[in-house]
Amino acid sequence: MKKSSLKGMMSRVIIYSITVLLSSLFCWREADAQVRAKTVCLTVTDGFSAPLYGVYVVDTRNRLLVTTTDEEGQCKVLLKGFLAKDTLEFSCLGFYAKRMAVDSLHDGQVIALQERSILLEVVAAEGIRPWDLLKGISKEIKKKKEKVKGYRYFGNGQYEKITECNERIVEYRREYGCFATTGNTKKRGTFDRGGEYGFVPKYAARSYPLTVDGTDTLVPLYQTEEKLFFESGKRRVFEFIRVVELYGPLFGGMKDYDFKQIETESGDYTFQFKTKKSRYPNKTFLSCQGTLTIDRRTRKLKVIDFDYVEYALCNQPRWARKIMKEIFFSSRAELKFKYWAEGEYCVESCTMETTWKSSKTEKGRYGTLPSRIEPLKNKLIEKEAFACNSYYEVPAEGRNSAFIFAMGIGSYNPQGEYNAHIFSRLPELLDSKRAFQDLNQYMDIEKQFKRLSNRAYYPVDYLLASPWRWSSILTRGEGVVANFNKIREMMLLCFFTGWRNPLGDEEEVK
């Protein structure tokens, strides 16, 4: 082959490669380019052009509620800060959700949703109407509520949390230990001190808590100043379980929700649910939508899957209306239930993802605690999971104030031993792959686990210095801090003896 021909061929290959590369780069930039800011008025209808009221419009990338439609099926959407590749999801009770590309939306556009098949005759054929089925399950759940003080149930379980800021993982926690719960008790007090969960780790695999840019360790781990209010070790999942037990579908008032049975491929009964706009926040403090699954054979609640949820853990409407102005986050979550003696249920597992959607406009604290400073600015996302491995009733002699106090001490400032063998035998509740990749950039993750083994999460004076401390801790003084490890070990001995550990004999794995 002549040199000139070879040279020409090579030139064409190089030009073609550069063209492909530039085209790819152009497409990538187009996908990441922001949509020009504008406001569009949209109308959402059913298949017969009838307007749909209360349609949720959700930003799918951030899982944030953008707006809802009014009585005429209309809504205004401000397209600001969206990328060209972003989509909005339109969902309504009894209809299939529909996703639309943000850059395809224009003013005056009509969006039609397709109705889902309803299988009312299936339940009716088995001798019960859908509403009666739900009502019966709700009555059975509520019947278990008691007005008691102290923890009623205990067991061992797992807890995991992944904290993300600015699209980078800044903290990873994986814990195995003992928990206690009051169970589905009745409300008590303005901020509901009647229902609680305590979780004390025996084993822990923890990374260093990092700053919002992931470049250094976080110091301090909590802030009390109004504009900088946060607590890095905040556990939100147990708080959420309690909210569901008070106000969730079937747990709270049946009048608070719309229910609609839908067609699914599973053999169980599936219902869509949605909080009625007229009930929130005056009658209920939980606004949500999603699906729940009823076991066809046992007719018991199996799963609640929340597509969107926001809440305030509060018992008084006067306080609730004030707190509702300070709900800056929304979540999606899934709860699974299992049953034991006499039909008593327990939460088998709960996973949730919380996204912070707005900043404070007034002075004062957040309605709940973010785990990093300025959560909206730093794109804070918190992923959490809890799994119950065993469940027992607390003996009568354990239902006292000393037990409550000791459980609280161990829960507020957790620590645990890192044991690679233990964690290799436990299932992962959250996908850790990306977390390890990001956190390895700061320090080898295994080295972090070992360095933080048997170290308390917060400084030793945390129980006395934190703004949310207990008055009972203050009255007992410095002795509480000095005896922290003794109290914690007492709790672990109480829990990890007296029944067979699901992981096998403790002595074998040490």
Side-chain angles (χ1 to χ4, degrees), residues 245-302:
E245 289 179 334
L246 290 178
Y247 312 114
L250 303 186
F251 290 87
M254 293 292 285
K255 293 181 180 179
D256 297 336
Y257 292 90
D258 287 318
F259 293 96
K260 207 164 192 177
Q261 191 184 1
I262 60 173
E263 181 180 6
T264 64
E265 295 181 357
S266 73
D268 295 318
Y269 303 128
T270 304
F271 292 83
Q272 282 187 322
F273 63 84
K274 182 178 180 180
T275 306
K276 293 179 181 177
K277 191 174 182 180
S278 61
R279 306 289 291 181
Y280 174 81
N282 294 321
K283 299 296 182 180
T284 180
F285 307 134
L286 174 65
S287 176
C288 59
Q289 76 167 24
T291 58
L292 57 85
T293 304
I294 308 295
D295 187 286
R296 181 182 292 271
R297 183 180 61 83
T298 64
R299 291 183 179 174
K300 292 185 182 297
L301 177 64
K302 283 177 65 175

Side-chain angles (χ1 to χ4, degrees), residues 174-176 200-206 413-419 423 449-450 452-457 488-489 492:
R174 191 179 181 200
E175 300 169 349
Y176 172 64
V200 180
K202 182 176 177 66
Y203 301 102
R206 291 195 285 118
N413 196 2
Q415 72 179 68
E417 173 195 351
Y418 175 59
N419 188 315
F423 288 113
F449 291 162
K450 291 176 180 177
L452 294 175
S453 179
N454 279 324
R455 283 177 56 178
Y457 187 92
R488 177 179 162 275
E489 286 302 319
L492 293 172

Side-chain angles (χ1 to χ4, degrees), residues 48 55 121 128 137 187 199 201 257 279 391 397 425 466 496 508:
F48 300 97
V55 176
E121 70 280 357
I128 186 171
I137 295 170
K187 294 177 285 188
F199 188 90
Y257 292 90
R279 306 289 291 181
Y391 203 72
E397 59 270 21
R425 300 169 68 184
S466 66
F496 277 84
E508 292 180 6

Side-chain angles (χ1 to χ4, degrees), residues 25-191:
L25 183 62
F26 176 76
C27 292
W28 175 76
R29 284 185 174 176
E30 282 292 303
D32 276 355
Q34 286 200 348
V35 174
R36 182 173 60 86
K38 61 179 178 178
T39 299
V40 295
C41 182
L42 308 172
T43 302
V44 186
T45 67
D46 62 13
F48 300 97
S49 299
L52 291 176
Y53 167 73
V55 176
Y56 277 36
V57 183
V58 176
D59 171 4
T60 57
R61 175 162 59 94
N62 296 310
R63 296 306 303 178
L64 297 178
L65 179 66
V66 177
T67 186
T68 58
T69 57
D70 59 20
E71 288 82 356
E72 297 179 350
Q74 295 185 343
C75 63
K76 288 185 178 181
V77 180
L78 174 61
L79 301 179
K80 184 178 180 181
F82 287 100
L83 303 178
K85 64 181 179 181
D86 287 344
T87 59
L88 294 181
E89 182 179 88
F90 298 80
S91 61
C92 183
L93 192 68
F95 293 81
Y96 288 104
K98 188 171 188 177
R99 292 191 176 190
M100 302 286 292
V102 169
D103 59 359
S104 71
L105 298 175
H106 57 81
D107 196 42
Q109 187 171 354
V110 177
I111 299 167
L113 301 185
Q114 181 184 353
E115 189 169 8
R116 301 190 72 157
S117 301
I118 304 173
L119 302 179
L120 300 183
E121 70 280 357
V122 175
V123 185
E126 296 179 9
I128 186 171
R129 294 185 301 171
W131 179 254
D132 291 337
L133 174 66
L134 294 176
K135 204 171 178 181
I137 295 170
S138 177
K139 184 178 179 180
E140 185 67 18
I141 289 173
K142 292 173 183 175
K143 188 174 71 175
K144 303 300 180 184
K145 288 188 176 182
E146 299 177 27
K147 195 170 183 178
V148 297
K149 293 183 179 180
Y151 292 110
R152 296 172 59 210
Y153 307 106
F154 71 100
N156 54 357
Q158 297 170 246
Y159 171 81
E160 294 181 16
K161 181 176 182 180
I162 294 176
T163 305
E164 177 182 329
C165 283
N166 300 309
E167 301 181 354
R168 177 172 177 170
I169 307 301
V170 294
E171 187 174 358
Y172 175 82
R173 289 172 65 182
R174 191 179 181 200
E175 300 169 349
Y176 172 64
C178 54
F179 73 94
T181 175
T182 55
N184 190 15
T185 56
K186 292 183 179 180
K187 294 177 285 188
R188 179 165 61 87
T190 299
F191 292 99

Side-chain angles (χ1 to χ4, degrees), residues 159-165 169-171 173 230-237 239 311 328-332 351-357 368-373 375 379-385 430:
Y159 171 81
E160 294 181 16
K161 181 176 182 180
I162 294 176
T163 305
E164 177 182 329
C165 283
I169 307 301
V170 294
E171 187 174 358
R173 289 172 65 182
F230 78 95
E231 182 184 13
S232 63
K234 172 70 177 177
R235 288 185 180 128
R236 203 176 312 281
V237 68
E239 177 182 277
Y311 64 88
F328 305 95
F329 62 93
S330 61
S331 306
R332 51 179 172 173
T351 57
M352 68 182 300
E353 180 176 321
T354 300
T355 304
W356 289 75
K357 60 183 182 179
T368 187
L369 303 170
S371 59
R372 289 297 186 277
I373 192 174
K379 302 178 183 177
L380 174 64
I381 298 175
E382 298 163 292
K383 298 177 183 178
E384 292 180 78
L430 299 173

Side-chain angles (χ1 to χ4, degrees), residues 341-458:
E342 300 178 0
E344 184 78 43
Y345 81 88
C346 70
V347 176
E348 182 179 21
S349 66
C350 177
T351 57
M352 68 182 300
E353 180 176 321
T354 300
T355 304
W356 289 75
K357 60 183 182 179
S358 60
S359 293
K360 290 185 299 179
T361 56
E362 301 174 359
K363 289 185 177 181
R365 298 173 178 175
Y366 290 104
T368 187
L369 303 170
S371 59
R372 289 297 186 277
I373 192 174
E374 298 182 294
L376 177 66
K377 177 183 176 182
N378 293 308
K379 302 178 183 177
L380 174 64
I381 298 175
E382 298 163 292
K383 298 177 183 178
E384 292 180 78
F386 165 72
C388 167
N389 293 1
S390 61
Y391 203 72
Y392 303 94
E393 195 164 2
V394 174
E397 59 270 21
R399 300 183 187 181
N400 52 52
S401 59
F403 180 71
I404 297 172
F405 181 77
M407 193 72 194
I409 292 293
S411 299
Y412 268 52
N413 196 2
Q415 72 179 68
E417 173 195 351
Y418 175 59
N419 188 315
H421 183 62
I422 288 287
F423 288 113
S424 69
R425 300 169 68 184
L426 288 169
E428 267 196 344
L429 306 181
L430 299 173
D431 187 357
S432 63
K433 185 176 180 181
R434 184 182 156 214
F436 286 6
Q437 288 175 346
D438 287 355
L439 292 166
N440 273 328
Q441 295 178 37
Y442 176 75
M443 181 190 294
D444 178 72
I445 191 67
E446 193 73 14
K447 186 180 291 186
Q448 294 186 56
F449 291 162
K450 291 176 180 177
R451 286 191 177 186
L452 294 175
S453 179
N454 279 324
R455 283 177 56 178
Y457 187 92
Y458 293 107

